[in-house]
Every structure is written in C-alpha cells, then in structure tokens.
Amino acid sequence: MSGRGIIGVAILGSTGSVGEHTLDVIARHPDRFRVVALGAHRNAEKLAAQVLRFDVPYAALADGGSAGKLEEQLRSRGARTRVLGGSDALEQIAALPEVDSVMAAIVGAAGLRSTLAAARAGKRLLLANKESLVMAGPLLMQTVRSAGAILLPIDSEHNAVFQCLPRDAMPGVAPPGVKRILLTASGGPFLDTDGTRLATVTPDEACAHPNWVMGRKISVDSATLMNKGLEFIEACLLFGVPPERVEVLIHRESIVHSLVEYVDGSVLAQLGAPDMRTPIAHALAWPERVTSGVQSLDLIKVGTLRFEAPDLRRFPALGLAQEAAREGGSRPTSLNAANEVAVAAFLEGGLNFAQIPSVIESVMASTSGGEIRDLDDVLAADAEARARASFFIRPRAVHA
Ligand code: NDP
C-alpha cells in the first residue's frame, strides 16, 4: 500500500464497462483508494475526462497516435499527468511502484502482456480479462505463484466461488474437501430462441443481454455460451479442479452467482443483484468489505430461482470449450483466438451468429495441441489459430 494505508490502483481498460464500474466504486471511497494510473486502447476523450475527474498521475493508451491526442487534451486543461503511449505503455503502468492493485479489464488477448506484467510485479491482480488466463493459463498461474502476486477474480461467477472457498485457499490449488464447482449462466438473450433462427440474429440482438450491461465482445460470448466456456476453463485454472468437477447450470435470474459443493454435502453459494460493482468492490477491498452502491437483494421480489442443464446442441461453443479444457496445453489458446476472430467477424457483419461455433470447431479440428512453456508458445498457438479462423471465415456468406 502507498501513503497512509490508501490503496493505489491502476485500471487497465478504464474506458470499458468493467473499468467504469471500478471507477464508480472507487469514487465512493476516496479515503481508501487512489487512482494512480488509467489505461485503454484509443479512446483519448473518455480517458482524459477520467484522468481529470480523478486527478490521475499516469495515463496510457496502447495506440501511440491517440496517446498524443490525450497529451494535448490534458495539457490544454492544465493537467500534469504523465502520458505514455505505444504497445509497452500498459505494461509500464501495471508495474509502477505506486500501484498496489491492478484491475486487468482490457478485453481479449490484447490484455495478456499487461496482465502478465502486473503478476510479474507481484501486484494484487484483479482479473476481469479472462481471455489472458484462458490463453496463457499455466504461464499466468506460474507467474502469479513465483512473484507472490495475489489473484482476485472479478468475473462474478469466479468471485462467487472465491468467496465460498476457505480464506487460505492457494491460487490454482483445490482446497481439501471441495467436491464440485457449480458455475451459473444466465443463458444469454437466445436461451429460448429456436435453433433455426440463430443464423439470422443481429449483433444488436446478440448484445442485448437480459440481466447484465457489458461490452460487445463479452455480450456476444454470453449469447453463444462461449463466455461460460471460457469461464469453465478459467475455473479449472483458478481453483485447481479438473474439468469433470466443474458443472454449468443455466440460472435465468442471475442471482446465484455460483456455488461450491463440499464432500460432506454442504453447498455454499454467493447471491446478489446482477451488478459488477459487487465483485469489483469485493476484490478492491479484500479481505475487508466496502459499500459498492449495489441495491440490496430483494428475494421476495425475485420469488423463484430456476436451474436447468445447458443445451449443447443449440450452443455448441460451450461443449468446444469443455473439450479444450480437458485437452489442456495450447488447446484453450487456440479456442480463445478462434473465438475472438469469429466474434469480431460477426460484429462487423462478415459472419452469421450460428457460424461462430462452426468456425471455432473447424479451427480446433485443423490444429493440434502443444505445451505452454513460455510466452512464445502462447503467441505461436494464438497466431496459428487466428490465421486459420480468418481462412475459414473468408469464403462464407453471411446467411449461408
Ligand atoms: P469493453 O469492451 O467495455 O471495454 C474494453 C476495454 O479494453 C476498453 O477500455 C478498451 O479501450 C480496452 N481495449 C480494447 N482493445 C485494446 C487494446 N488492443 N489495447 C489496450 N486496450 C484495449 O469490455 P468489458 O469491460 O465488457 O470487458 C473487459 C474484460 O472484462 C473482458 O475480458 C471481459 O470478458 C471481462 N468481463 C467483463 C464483464 C462485464 O460486465 N463487462 C464481466 C466479467 C468479465 P478503448 O475504449 O480505448 O477502446
């Protein structure tokens, strides 16, 4: 901690949905948290407003040109913030000595290097960027352990599991007595949509999540159930449980965020309103508790909590991810890369919704796995899967 017990925080991806929720929680506790650094990709305008509001000493944009614009905007307003730009800028702010906690909230593989930099620097790593864990699981977990970093999950499901585990649980090691992890999934906007209609749904329909307000990539992942697939892999890595001891339950209300079953038959769950500020506040203050601005849970109003099995026939992406988790090595890396390319193509109108899992399946069928020993192994598997996904996407017609 820096100063008089005030926690210095860096937010990577501050202009996104998780980043903004993090600033909302921090704004409620100026006596406990100080924003030391903010970083994003190219949204200079929003980042400048955040820097000015929170009087932030460091700001970074991965896009060098946008960093120049940010610098101009801040100077014209009299701010003395140090602005960094370019591909290494986010890694630099993640490792600053004034930073105690790093919120890793960049979307996709673009967050890998800065997430690893925070772990390597032994920070408290508040991990929202699930893709970095999925693509580089063994490497990231090893870096966390060897650097003595503290890993706190931000995904509401994993944060729920973390809260249901003993306080001394080690990252990547299943605590004794844990039988199963039960991950809940809202099911997304197409839970009741006929399978034949999935080829015609639009990006805006896919992004209209029934319970959560999120960025567009994770919203599409929720709609295909790939988000749950990525979280399945994430759970195995974070909590050291094999895939056969992780189960996915569709839970439409998004009130039970996940559960842990113990060998004596006890099942512990964490409940709350579907609002990311709860897991964010939990991880920011852990092991203490702070207010988050989230409404009290009114169970009488909620009334019913339903649980169902996922339909892997209509949502094959979840099955593909479960298979990658069982295969291990670089298979999750390939899966994540193929998914990112397919989702980007869908959002740009170059692929229909039902083709997203088909592209991923084709990539998985045409690549073989390998070990993940270092960053080069991760980047090689990622690049190969991206190239193959682009190859499979090119000849497809959107409504084929
Ligand atoms: P958003 O799309 O809302 O925000 C993405 C952020 O990442 C922005 O700050 C963006 O900057 C930045 N970014 C994008 N590309 C790059 C890049 N190449 N280099 C550096 N920064 C980049 O995403 P979300 O907040 O929804 O999600 C962030 C992460 O958190 C994802 O991994 C997601 O899976 C995870 N998550 C999100 C939840 C949610 O409720 N939203 C819940 C649980 C997990 P810019 O604005 O400049 O483009």
Side-chain angles (χ1 to χ4, degrees):
M1 287 190 197
S2 57
R4 299 182 310 275
I6 291 184
I7 296 175
V9 182
I11 306 174
L12 312 178
S14 66
T15 53
S17 167
V18 171
E20 291 195 293
H21 280 116
T22 305
L23 286 170
D24 182 280
V25 174
I26 288 177
R28 295 165 194 277
H29 304 283
D31 53 328
R32 299 187 71 121
F33 306 110
R34 161 109 173 93
V35 184
V36 173
L38 294 175
H41 187 205
R42 51 166 73 113
N43 193 341
E45 207 158 305
K46 195 188 257 190
L47 193 61
Q50 293 176 335
V51 164
L52 292 168
R53 177 172 173 212
F54 288 88
D55 188 19
V56 180
Y58 296 89
L61 282 173
D63 179 71
S66 305
K69 282 189 210 140
L70 175 67
E71 176 122 41
E72 272 170 37
Q73 289 186 24
L74 291 173
R75 294 296 163 262
S76 70
R77 307 281 292 274
R80 288 192 302 179
T81 303
R82 168 133 190 250
V83 175
L84 294 86
S87 54
D88 294 346
L90 293 159
E91 288 170 67
Q92 288 180 44
I93 62 169
L96 286 167
E98 304 94 310
V99 169
D100 304 297
S101 294
V102 175
M103 169 60 78
I106 289 171
V107 64
L112 176 64
R113 286 178 189 274
S114 52
T115 301
L116 275 171
R120 215 178 297 119
K123 304 295 186 191
R124 279 168 68 118
L125 175 57
L126 282 50
L127 186 68
N129 175 224
K130 67 190 87 185
E131 295 91 344
S132 61
L133 184 60
V134 170
M135 71 188 289
L139 180 63
L140 180 55
M141 294 306 289
Q142 181 50 41
T143 308
V144 164
R145 282 191 289 265
S146 57
I150 295 173
L151 184 52
L152 296 160
I154 293 298
D155 243 327
S156 60
E157 297 77 1
H158 305 76
N159 184 271
V161 170
F162 183 88
Q163 293 197 45
C164 296
L165 291 177
R167 167 94 182 266
D168 57 1
M170 302 277 292
V173 181
V178 170
K179 189 172 175 188
R180 281 191 311 160
I181 286 177
L182 304 164
L183 287 183
T184 55
S186 70
F190 307 131
L191 187 54
D192 299 314
T193 304
D194 191 273
T196 56
R197 214 185 79 68
L198 290 178
T200 60
V201 301
T202 65
D204 283 346
E205 286 174 306
C207 291
H209 196 280
N211 304 340
W212 300 91
V213 180
M214 309 182 286
R216 280 172 86 75
K217 192 264 178 180
I218 185 177
S219 296
V220 176
D221 286 346
S222 295
T224 59
L225 288 200
M226 179 53 94
N227 183 47
K228 212 47 54 180
L230 300 178
E231 290 178 8
F232 184 94
I233 298 168
E234 189 183 2
C236 296
L237 291 159
L238 283 176
F239 307 119
V241 285
E244 60 275 14
R245 284 167 51 198
V246 181
E247 190 176 331
V248 173
L249 296 173
I250 300 292
H251 167 50
R252 292 168 187 260
E253 294 77 18
S254 298
I255 295 295
V256 178
H257 297 306
S258 278
L259 313 90
V260 178
E261 181 183 348
Y262 286 87
V263 288
D264 62 3
S266 301
V267 179
L268 302 191
Q270 186 260 355
L271 284 72
D275 188 321
M276 283 307 292
R277 289 175 300 175
T278 295
I280 290 169
H282 170 266
L284 277 171
W286 185 86
E288 293 172 29
R289 298 270 180 178
V290 293
T291 57
S292 63
V294 174
Q295 278 187 346
S296 273
L297 177 61
D298 184 344
L299 278 173
I300 293 173
K301 204 162 152 198
V302 174
T304 310
L305 298 175
R306 291 165 293 174
F307 300 93
E308 308 155 48
D311 179 353
L312 296 188
R313 213 174 26 83
R314 267 187 314 136
F315 300 104
L318 174 58
L320 291 169
Q322 288 172 319
E323 203 176 314
R326 285 189 286 272
E327 292 167 339
S330 64
R331 298 297 277 163
T333 320
S334 306
L335 176 102
N336 178 68
N339 181 56
E340 285 193 21
V341 174
V343 170
F346 168 66
L347 286 171
E348 287 156 15
L351 196 67
N352 82 42
F353 183 81
Q355 289 168 336
I356 297 174
S358 313
V359 167
I360 300 165
E361 191 173 7
S362 302
V363 171
M364 296 308 278
S366 68
T367 49
S368 52
E371 244 186 283
I372 294 291
R373 290 156 305 201
D374 52 30
L375 188 57
D376 288 343
D377 290 336
V378 175
L379 299 178
D382 178 81
E384 185 190 2
R386 278 173 199 274
R388 283 180 191 261
S390 303
F391 171 78
F392 288 120
I393 288 168
R394 219 173 296 130
R396 287 173 200 250
V398 175
H399 293 294

